[in-house]
Amino acid sequence: MYSTPLILTALGGTFSERSGIVNVGLEGMMVMGAFSSVVFNLTFAGTFGAWTPWLACIVGGLVGMVFSLLHAVATVNLRADHIISGTVINLMAPALAIFLIKVMYGKGQTDTITESFGYFTFPLLNKIPVIGELFFNRTTAPAFVAIVIAIIAWFVLFKTRFGLRLRSVGENPQAADTLGINVYLMRYAGVLISGFLGGMGGAVFAQTIAGRFAVTTIAGQGFISMAAMIFGKWNPLGAMGAAIFFGFAQNISIAGSNLPIISAIPAVYLQAAPYVLTIVVLVLFLGKSSGPKANGQNYIKSK
C-alpha cells in the first residue's frame, strides 16, 4: 500500500530523466493527482460505485500530465533551469490545490471519500500455503497494477524503438538529432509520461492511505520517489525495488508500535525514518550512480 505511489512516481521520474529532463516537480504532480482524484471521487462516487477509485486514478494521471506540461514548456522551449522549474511546480501545486478546495468546499480540506481501494483478495492464489497468505490475501490491487506497469515500463524503455530514442535523447541529444530524432518531441514525451505516472501515484496515495485531500496529504513522497529512482539507477525494475524498500520503511513507521523490539523505539524516530533513509540514499548513491549523460542539460538545436 505504501510502496505503490512511490513505484508509480519513481517510474515517472525515470521516463523524464531518461529523456534528459530532471523532474524535481514530481512532488507537485503527485499533489495535483491527489487533489483531482479526491474531487472526482467525491463527485462521482454515486455514479460509478466501486469503479470510482480506478477512474479517479486516470483523472489524477491526466491532471498530473497537464501540470507537467508547464515543466516541459519551461525546460524544453524556454530552456529554464530544470531544478528551478521543478521547484516552482512544487511550490505552486499545494497552494493552487488548497485555493481550489476552499473555493469548492468552503474549507481547507475535502471530506473523506466513500469509495476507496480497500483490501483485495486474489481468488485461488490466496490458498497457496504461506505465500498465499502473505501476498494474495487482504492485499491492495493497485500494488500489483504498479508492478505490472513497472515491467511494461522496462520493456518500453529497453526493448522498443520509442525507448531507444528516448534514451538516446537523454544520453546525446546532438547525435540523436543528426539521426533524425525529434529531440524536443521525445523530451516532451518523457516529461508528460512522468506527469501522468506521478499524478496516478498521488491519486493512489490519496485513495488508499489518506482518504481525503489536505495540504499535508502529500508530504515528501515525491522526493522519496526521486531517491528510489536514483537508488534504482534509472531502471524501472530497480526503481520499483527501491520504492518497495522505501514503502517498507514508511510502513514500519506506522505499524512499528505493534512489532516486537521495534515497538521500543520512540515513535518520532520511526516517523522520521523514511525521510532519513531518503537523505542517506541520496548521499551514498547520488555521486556513484551515473544517470543519463545529458540529464539536466538544455538542448539548443542550432548547436
Side-chain angles (χ1 to χ4, degrees):
M1 184 181 294
Y2 283 89
S3 297
T4 305
L6 303 181
I7 293 173
L8 293 171
T9 309
L11 292 175
T14 300
F15 273 96
S16 180
E17 301 212 1
R18 280 290 184 176
S19 72
I21 302 295
V22 175
N23 195 349
V24 179
L26 289 173
E27 177 94 354
M29 294 166 195
M30 287 188 76
V31 169
M32 296 308 296
F35 156 74
S36 56
S37 66
V38 169
V39 171
F40 180 90
N41 194 307
L42 291 171
T43 306
F44 294 101
T47 304
F48 298 111
W51 283 101
T52 306
W54 297 100
L55 296 174
C57 274
I58 297 175
V59 171
L62 293 175
V63 171
M65 179 184 288
V66 172
F67 210 65
S68 69
L69 188 62
L70 298 174
H71 188 53
V73 171
T75 55
V76 178
N77 294 102
L78 303 181
R79 299 163 191 159
D81 182 275
H82 298 195
I83 305 298
I84 294 176
S85 174
T87 302
V88 170
I89 295 290
N90 289 337
L91 292 174
M92 181 167 58
L96 175 61
I98 292 300
F99 171 75
L100 293 175
I101 290 290
K102 288 184 176 181
V103 170
M104 297 167 67
Y105 298 100
K107 53 184 180 180
Q109 64 183 35
T110 66
D111 296 325
T112 302
I113 59 175
T114 56
E115 293 288 343
S116 61
F117 285 108
Y119 290 104
F120 179 78
T121 298
F122 285 88
L124 299 179
L125 293 178
N126 67 317
K127 302 298 183 183
I128 300 174
V130 183
I131 296 177
E133 183 68 22
L134 284 173
F135 295 104
F136 302 113
N137 187 50
R138 286 182 59 79
T139 183
T140 176
F144 291 88
V145 174
I147 291 172
V148 171
I149 292 175
I151 295 172
I152 294 173
W154 175 85
F155 181 83
V156 169
L157 273 179
F158 294 102
K159 300 296 181 181
T160 66
R161 179 180 297 180
F162 171 81
L164 177 62
R165 292 182 174 184
L166 190 77
R167 288 184 289 119
S168 67
V169 166
E171 294 290 340
N172 193 327
Q174 287 82 6
D177 197 1
T178 59
L179 294 175
I181 298 173
N182 190 326
V183 175
Y184 293 165
L185 180 62
M186 296 308 298
R187 288 192 162 184
Y188 260 91
V191 176
L192 292 179
I193 291 173
S194 76
F196 183 79
L197 291 173
M200 281 188 65
V204 170
F205 187 92
Q207 296 180 100
T208 54
I209 299 168
R212 60 181 174 82
F213 181 83
V215 70
T216 56
T217 297
I218 304 297
Q221 280 74 25
F223 297 106
I224 294 175
S225 300
M226 284 194 66
M229 173 195 68
I230 296 169
F231 196 13
K233 297 184 177 180
W234 292 268
N235 182 302
L237 298 183
M240 178 187 70
I244 291 175
F245 168 73
F246 284 118
F248 173 75
Q250 282 192 301
N251 186 52
I252 288 294
S253 70
I254 302 299
S257 59
N258 299 320
L259 299 175
I261 301 176
I262 296 179
S263 60
I265 302 174
V268 65
Y269 294 139
L270 293 176
Q271 293 168 3
Y275 306 101
V276 173
L277 280 173
T278 301
I279 296 172
V280 170
V281 166
L282 289 175
V283 170
L284 293 179
F285 292 93
L286 184 57
K288 298 179 181 178
S289 298
S290 56
K293 293 182 180 178
N295 195 22
Q297 299 177 12
N298 292 326
Y299 177 66
I300 303 175
K301 188 175 178 63
S302 59
K303 292 185 177 181

